[in-house]
Amino acid sequence: MKMNGMIRHETGGLEYFTAESFDKTGLVRHCFTTRKGGVSEGCFSSLNLGVNRGDDTERVLKNYDIIFGALGSSKEKAILSKQTHSDTVWEVGTSDQGNGLLRANRFENADAFITRERGAALTVFMADCVPILFLDPVKRAIAACHSGWRGTVQRIGEKTVLKMTERFGCRPADILCAIGPSIGPCCFEVDVPVVKEFEAAFDFLPPSEYIKHTGGEKYHIDLWRANTELLKHAGVPKENITVSGECTVCNEELYFSHRRDGDRRGSLSAIIELI
Ligand SMILES: [Zn+2]
């Protein structure tokens, strides 16, 4: 099934999405997971990929086996971090395989990874925060970033593109981006202080483009639009950016959501690896 440039894959109960533009290059394995197809139970049901959420470790590792197996890879290649809503981008490689999953995390404050090494499976996790995957098919470089609202106001998506340019000589015009399922403008309701942070960070974009006043002290912010504009501001052409447009809060059957369920929930992942 295809929607908004994303392809929905369903195999034996497992469901995940890929970006058609990435698939076409034949250069990467990648996905945006849903909660379907894993072995976790209760509030973690079923494909929980969050490692420190109180779920049974064996089940989480089995879930990693399931999704990495479906991609034709293995969980030994996964590189995770301790995500802290920072704007820090780390360059990693195959020597970091297993970080944060099969061995202790060595990256403090890492919310984005870049690499040009094959077999380094960049993995970010979330439950409402915006996942963004990057692929430069010319320089054969990839990145993954976790851009919740705090990451968005720190412009982490733009900083990820910048780092790819600095480290690998990527041209932003060549970079493909995919924004995965996350909290939509329908559900991301905020108060005035958050609005002020966005207005300060997005000095290049009129607030009316992505912030809607919904009454009283309440506003709704479109993080998909905000992140798309950040990527465009970094030089990525609009036509290179795929946006899932699926809201994790609205769709309980498919997604974990922090805003909907609080701490008692699993985590989704976005994964990308050069073949
Ligand atoms: Zn929603």
Side-chain angles (χ1 to χ4, degrees), residues 133-182:
L133 296 180
F134 304 73
L135 166 61
D136 177 350
V138 178
K139 294 289 183 186
R140 301 196 173 202
I142 56 172
C145 107
H146 162 252
S147 181
W149 77 261
R150 289 185 189 84
T152 304
V153 296
Q154 292 175 87
R155 298 164 65 150
I156 191 169
E158 181 181 27
K159 288 172 183 173
T160 304
V161 172
L162 196 65
K163 193 90 168 182
M164 292 174 80
T165 330
E166 286 169 3
R167 298 292 305 151
F168 306 141
C170 297
R171 292 174 53 228
D174 295 327
I175 298 176
L176 304 173
C177 297
I179 296 177
S182 36

Side-chain angles (χ1 to χ4, degrees), residues 56-116:
D56 176 65
T57 304
E58 290 308 310
R59 289 184 199 266
V60 176
L61 289 174
K62 177 68 184 160
N63 290 338
Y64 270 90
D65 276 331
I66 290 169
I67 186 65
F68 273 80
L71 296 177
S73 184
S74 70
K75 70 173 185 300
E76 282 66 30
K77 296 179 180 175
I79 301 172
L80 280 65
S81 74
K82 184 180 161 204
Q83 295 172 181
T84 58
H85 303 279
S86 71
D87 64 348
T88 316
V89 185
W90 285 82
E91 182 179 349
V92 297
T94 48
S95 63
D96 300 302
Q97 287 172 337
N99 185 82
L101 182 65
L102 303 175
R103 55 195 171 98
N105 168 56
R106 77 174 188 89
F107 303 109
E108 291 299 321
N109 299 323
D111 287 82
F113 287 133
I114 64 168
T115 192
R116 214 160 44 165

Side-chain angles (χ1 to χ4, degrees), residues 182-188 224 246-251:
S182 36
I183 190 168
C186 40
C187 294
F188 188 45
W224 302 331
E246 290 254 297
C247 174
T248 43
V249 186
C250 285
N251 198 337

